[in-house]
């Protein structure tokens, strides 16, 4: 289990009990966020007989021998990273077959000396974050074909970047009592990566409590925000308008921005509502809504205020019985993965949210999620959701929402 990712909140320590009924009662009887109204209660009261959301598991992708820690989609490929340092790519097109896809692996590489914690793709480059404190850059060859080859382009920080900083004393920071290194180094697990909207910058966050910004053209480290949080940083998300959101084990979300003409990012807001460490962040498609998932079993929904800068809480999505470990936004759906081994699919209209589906089938906690609109099914609005878990499996789910349901919630919201 990862050191800084606690999967059980203090109030749910009884979750290790073998008595499921006792565990369930103790979890549900203790409101995770008593000061925040639940967004689901009103919807469930109004939706007496909602139209059905259809969902089923299309296939299970097997091959990893350790737990899946990261998933990302790019083009017609799905990329996965695992605890055993492997990065694999899979064909993501499932239009023609729902059979076992064990042969759909297109390539695999052993990457570095530490678990793969996060993956992002920029054109023909793949960036991977690792538990050994490094970020690695891979060239993807034959990107448009059925088979791929990875060639390592760089390890960040690069040798040139380190050499240019090492001789100047002001570039050194103290990491332990008698040890220093240059500020371009992460000195603990690199937990999450994100690209700026124009993909010219790569943001990395770490359990060393720093945020680093890298130029994607030459991999130079441009900036490091030291002591950005009071504890390990687990997640980062970037909106199209340049706001950077970081979520930490210190229970806080911080909002950062580099103003026009400024050289450094500065803190513009601190968002506090969770009762325990934050594991995951996700932004809505247009970037105006932020979702945060934590060990308190709640997903807090934040929206931009009228000033278009301040984020305010509008409620919390509840239903999971253990820690929220990952989040993904697919069009207008919010997907959440939990240590309770389930995935929940949420949808909201005018601040009225409902849980459309609970996906069950994994044999362990859900560690990572990604998804896309499914273009194979023109009859209804359909989505593909990919989930990776501690059972070493990747599952591919199809979620179909009938057109009548998609128009049902807005009409209800007028009467709320």
């Amino acid at each position: 289990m990862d050191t800084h990712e606690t999967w059980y909140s203090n109030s749910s320590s009884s979750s290790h009990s073998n008595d499921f009924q006792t565990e369930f009662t103790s979890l549900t009887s203790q409101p995770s966020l008593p000061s925040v109204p639940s967004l689901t209660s009103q919807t469930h009261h109004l939706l007496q007989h909602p139209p059905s959301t259809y969902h089923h598991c299309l296939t299970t992708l097997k091959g990893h021998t350790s737990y899946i820690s990261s998933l990302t989609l790019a083009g017609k490929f799905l990329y996965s990273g695992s605890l055993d340092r492997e990065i694999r790519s899979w064909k993501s097109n499932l239009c023609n077959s729902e059979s076992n896809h064990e042969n759909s692996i297109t390539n695999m590489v052993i990457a570095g000396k530490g678990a793969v914690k996060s993956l992002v793709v920029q054109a023909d480059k793949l960036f991977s974050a690792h538990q050994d404190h490094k970020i690695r850059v891979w060239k993807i060859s034959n990107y448009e074909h059925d088979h791929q080859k990875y060639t390592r382009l760089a390890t960040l920080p690069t040798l040139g970047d380190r050499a240019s900083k090492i001789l100047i004393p002001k570039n050194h920071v103290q990491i332990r009592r008698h040890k220093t290194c240059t500020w371009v180094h992460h000195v603990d697990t690199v937990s999450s990566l994100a690209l700026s909207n124009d993909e010219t910058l790569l943001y990395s966050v770490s359990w060393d409590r720093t945020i680093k910004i890298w130029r994607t053209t030459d991999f130079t480290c441009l900036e490091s925000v030291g002591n950005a949080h009071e504890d390990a940083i687990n997640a980062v998300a970037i909106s199209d308008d340049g706001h950077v959101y970081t979520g930490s084990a210190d229970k806080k979300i911080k909002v950062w921005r580099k103003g026009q003409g400024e050289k450094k990012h500065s803190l513009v807001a601190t968002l506090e509502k969770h009762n325990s460490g934050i594991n995951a962040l996700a932004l809505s498609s247009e970037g105006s809504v932020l979702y945060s998932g934590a060990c308190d079993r709640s997903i807090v929904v934040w929206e931009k205020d009228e000033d278009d800068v301040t984020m305010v809480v509008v409620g919390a999505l509840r239903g999971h019985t253990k820690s929220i470990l990952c989040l993904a936004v697919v069009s207008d759906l919010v997907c959440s993965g939990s240590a309770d081994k389930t995935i929940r699919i949420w949808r909201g209209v005018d601040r009225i949210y409902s849980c459309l589906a609970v996906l069950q089938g994994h044999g362990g906690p859900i560690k990572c999620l990604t998804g896309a609109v499914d273009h194979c099914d023109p009859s209804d609005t359909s989505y593909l959701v990919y989930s990776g878990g501690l059972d070493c499996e990747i599952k591919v789910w199809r979620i179909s929402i009938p057109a009548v349901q998609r128009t049902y919630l807005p009409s209800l919201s007028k009467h709320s």
Side-chain angles (χ1 to χ4, degrees):
M1 184 180 294
D2 295 334
T3 306
H4 294 288
E5 293 167 303
T6 305
W7 295 349
Y8 302 91
S9 65
N10 292 335
S11 62
S12 62
S13 59
S14 62
S15 60
H16 293 287
S17 169
N18 293 325
D19 186 345
F20 177 79
Q21 187 60 44
T22 301
E23 172 193 331
F24 183 78
T25 302
S26 68
L27 288 170
T28 55
S29 63
Q30 299 179 18
S32 56
L33 291 172
S35 60
V36 181
S38 172
L39 292 174
T40 60
S41 57
Q42 185 179 34
T43 304
H44 286 312
H45 174 71
L46 293 170
L47 289 178
Q48 298 297 324
H49 302 286
S52 297
T53 296
Y54 302 99
H55 60 89
H56 67 287
C57 182
L58 291 179
T59 189
T60 299
L61 306 177
K62 298 181 179 181
H64 285 289
T65 58
S66 188
Y67 83 66
I68 316 300
S69 50
S70 180
L71 292 172
T72 192
L73 280 168
K76 61 180 181 179
F77 293 101
L78 171 73
Y79 297 87
S80 59
S82 66
L83 182 68
D84 55 10
R85 302 173 293 137
E86 288 183 356
I87 299 172
R88 293 176 181 254
S89 58
W90 316 75
K91 299 173 190 174
S92 62
N93 186 353
L94 299 178
C95 289
N96 300 321
S97 174
E98 295 186 4
S99 61
N100 194 309
H101 278 235
E102 287 186 0
N103 296 323
S104 65
I105 304 173
T106 63
N107 202 1
M108 182 269 288
V109 65
I110 302 295
K113 297 179 181 179
V116 182
K117 302 295 291 182
S118 183
L119 296 169
V120 296
V121 176
Q122 181 222 12
D124 62 348
K125 292 194 288 289
L126 172 69
F127 295 88
S128 57
H130 296 264
Q131 198 165 1
D132 66 1
H133 317 170
K134 302 291 196 301
I135 301 165
R136 291 176 174 83
V137 190
W138 308 88
K139 168 80 171 179
I140 307 172
S141 302
N142 301 319
Y143 186 69
E144 294 298 328
H145 300 284
D146 286 342
H147 296 282
Q148 296 183 314
K149 179 182 178 181
Y150 304 128
T151 306
R152 186 157 59 90
L153 292 178
T155 299
L156 309 187
T158 64
L159 179 61
D161 212 2
R162 287 178 282 158
S164 66
K165 308 289 192 302
I166 197 168
L167 296 178
I168 304 174
K170 70 176 183 179
N171 287 329
H172 288 253
V173 293
Q174 187 166 350
I175 57 173
R176 283 191 288 275
R177 185 176 179 183
H178 298 295
K179 186 173 182 179
T180 63
C181 71
T182 58
W183 58 265
V184 296
H185 288 81
H186 278 300
V187 294
D188 205 337
T189 296
V190 184
S191 53
S192 187
L193 301 173
L195 286 168
S196 61
N197 186 43
D198 60 7
E199 299 192 344
T200 61
L201 300 175
L202 176 74
Y203 290 75
S204 62
V205 296
S206 169
W207 292 352
D208 66 12
R209 301 179 294 162
T210 70
I211 308 165
K212 298 193 190 299
I213 299 97
W214 314 79
R215 192 161 52 208
T216 56
T217 52
D218 60 2
F219 315 133
T220 298
C221 187
L222 301 176
E223 182 185 351
S224 177
V225 182
N227 295 314
H229 281 268
E230 297 167 12
D231 206 337
I233 308 175
N234 291 323
V236 59
I238 303 174
S239 63
D240 290 348
D241 63 5
H243 284 91
V244 180
Y245 302 90
T246 54
S248 168
D250 65 8
K251 311 176 188 179
K252 299 174 184 176
I253 300 166
K254 292 193 175 182
V255 189
W256 311 83
R257 184 172 177 84
K258 184 169 70 172
Q260 188 172 4
E262 296 178 0
K263 294 183 178 180
K264 303 291 184 181
H265 286 72
S266 58
L267 180 67
V268 295
T270 299
L271 312 180
E272 297 184 72
K273 187 58 69 172
H274 282 288
N275 294 332
S276 56
I278 296 163
N279 294 322
L281 299 173
L283 284 162
S284 62
S285 302
E286 74 286 352
S288 62
V289 183
L290 175 71
Y291 304 93
S292 57
C295 297
D296 56 21
R297 308 177 304 281
S298 293
I299 302 158
V300 174
V301 183
W302 310 78
E303 287 188 7
K304 284 192 175 179
D305 206 350
E306 294 178 356
D307 60 10
D308 204 34
V309 176
T310 307
M311 301 294 284
V312 296
V313 174
V314 297
L317 308 179
R318 301 195 186 97
H320 284 294
T321 57
K322 292 182 181 177
S323 301
I324 312 297
L325 301 182
C326 51
L327 294 170
V329 170
V330 186
S331 185
D332 60 348
L333 300 184
V334 182
C335 309
S336 57
S338 169
D340 65 14
K341 306 179 186 178
T342 69
I343 301 139
R344 286 181 174 255
I345 310 297
W346 312 83
R347 181 171 178 264
V349 176
D350 294 340
R351 295 188 176 182
I352 296 180
Y353 281 73
S354 62
C355 181
L356 302 182
V358 180
L359 312 183
Q360 302 181 67
H362 275 283
I366 314 301
K367 194 67 178 64
C368 46
L369 289 168
T370 190
V373 174
D374 178 16
H375 298 291
C376 303
D377 185 2
S379 58
D380 289 315
T381 301
S382 183
Y383 305 86
L384 292 176
V385 174
Y386 302 81
S387 57
L390 268 67
D391 55 5
C392 309
E393 295 182 349
I394 301 167
K395 291 188 181 293
V396 187
W397 311 83
R398 176 166 284 148
I399 316 295
S400 297
I401 304 175
V404 64
Q405 180 168 339
R406 299 183 64 80
T407 58
Y408 195 59
L409 278 175
S411 63
L412 280 177
S413 65
K414 295 176 184 177
H415 303 287
S416 61

